[in-house]
Amino acid sequence: MAKKILEVTYEFLVKMSLFTSINDDIESYDENSTVNKTMERHISTLKDKDIESILKKIENNLDLNVENKSRREQGILRRYLFRDKRIGKCGICQKEFPINFLVTAHIKKRSECQLEEKIDFRNIVMPMCKFGCDDLFEKGYISVVDGIVVSMKHKNRTPSIDEIISNIEGKKCPYWNKTSKKYFEWHYKFHLSNNI
């Protein structure tokens, strides 16, 4: 059984390139994916010697040439949000940061957007900081309801996350308005049903 797990894990790592970095232009890792949950269970059962064996098998080929799609509109959306500014404000915590610490975050997951939603540049994106707000929003720990940042129930809450959320919960989101409201509502409902 252990040998089979080792072989399946190795094949998965080679085919799926689990060890690639995620950046603003690539959809983030989906912790709720059945495939990823299964692989995480397999990987967590491996002993150090098994991990060493897998790494030795791929040691001469650790870098993977991958062809992936790029979000052609991402640069335009980022330019729209930040213009020529060097400093910007996070739409969640309201703190100012150099723009290289802010991401162009989709309110409704881009992968779930119709074409007309993807090009609704005034309402579909907002700046979020890399100091927690983007991840908390993306993974459904927080949302925005009626223009206010709210905490969401989540199966993986910890006291540390609760402390961070307590510092942003109740803040007003300046990107919520009557035309962006539908995207925030989608975000809230999507994570409400997926975080149980």
Side-chain angles (χ1 to χ4, degrees):
M1 176 68 172
K3 185 176 180 184
K4 181 66 177 166
I5 290 173
L6 189 62
E7 289 170 2
V8 169
T9 303
Y10 171 73
E11 286 179 27
F12 175 80
L13 294 175
V14 171
K15 287 180 183 171
M16 303 304 286
S17 182
L18 192 78
F19 300 118
T20 59
S21 63
I22 304 295
N23 62 36
D24 293 346
D25 295 336
I26 300 172
E27 287 293 314
S28 62
Y29 171 80
D30 182 4
E31 66 186 29
N32 296 318
S33 158
T34 305
V35 171
N36 288 334
K37 282 181 179 178
T38 303
M39 288 316 304
E40 284 177 359
R41 273 197 309 276
H42 288 311
I43 291 170
S44 68
T45 64
L46 295 176
K47 294 181 171 72
D48 286 358
K49 64 178 179 137
D50 296 331
I51 294 170
E52 184 178 349
S53 174
I54 290 171
L55 291 175
K56 282 184 178 181
K57 280 185 177 182
I58 62 173
E59 70 185 340
N60 293 328
N61 197 12
L62 289 176
D63 295 322
L64 205 62
N65 293 325
V66 294
E67 185 177 319
N68 58 20
K69 292 182 180 179
S70 178
R71 300 176 178 183
R72 295 181 77 184
E73 79 278 15
Q74 193 72 9
I76 296 166
L77 295 174
R78 187 165 179 80
R79 181 83 173 156
Y80 166 74
L81 284 179
F82 303 117
R83 312 275 176 185
D84 292 322
K85 296 177 188 173
R86 293 177 47 209
I87 305 290
K89 192 180 275 192
C90 174
I92 296 292
C93 69
Q94 301 304 304
K95 293 181 181 175
E96 290 187 336
F97 298 100
I99 63 166
N100 59 332
F101 288 106
L102 295 167
V103 299
T104 304
H106 278 74
I107 298 163
K108 178 178 179 180
K109 284 185 179 286
R110 184 183 180 276
S111 61
E112 300 291 329
C113 288
Q114 300 297 316
L115 177 60
E116 63 272 8
E117 294 172 324
K118 289 178 184 176
I119 61 175
D120 184 11
F121 67 95
R122 290 183 186 90
N123 300 299
I124 196 67
V125 293
M126 63 187 278
M128 287 189 211
C129 73
K130 296 179 180 180
F131 294 97
C133 292
D134 180 50
D135 269 345
L136 291 169
F137 189 84
E138 176 72 23
K139 293 178 171 90
Y141 287 87
I142 59 171
S143 194
V144 175
V145 176
D146 294 330
I148 305 298
V149 178
V150 297
S151 175
M152 302 280 291
K153 288 184 179 180
H154 199 286
K155 60 183 174 273
N156 295 324
R157 294 284 291 255
T158 66
S160 297
I161 288 177
D162 289 340
E163 181 181 349
I164 294 167
I165 290 173
S166 72
N167 290 322
I168 55 179
E169 189 175 17
K171 291 201 181 263
K172 187 173 184 193
C173 176
Y175 291 87
W176 185 93
N177 58 53
K178 65 182 181 182
T179 51
S180 66
K181 177 182 176 181
K182 63 184 176 184
Y183 301 125
F184 285 107
E185 286 174 347
W186 180 94
H187 179 271
Y188 179 80
K189 289 175 187 171
F190 176 82
H191 286 291
L192 190 62
S193 63
N194 286 317
N195 288 344
I196 299 169

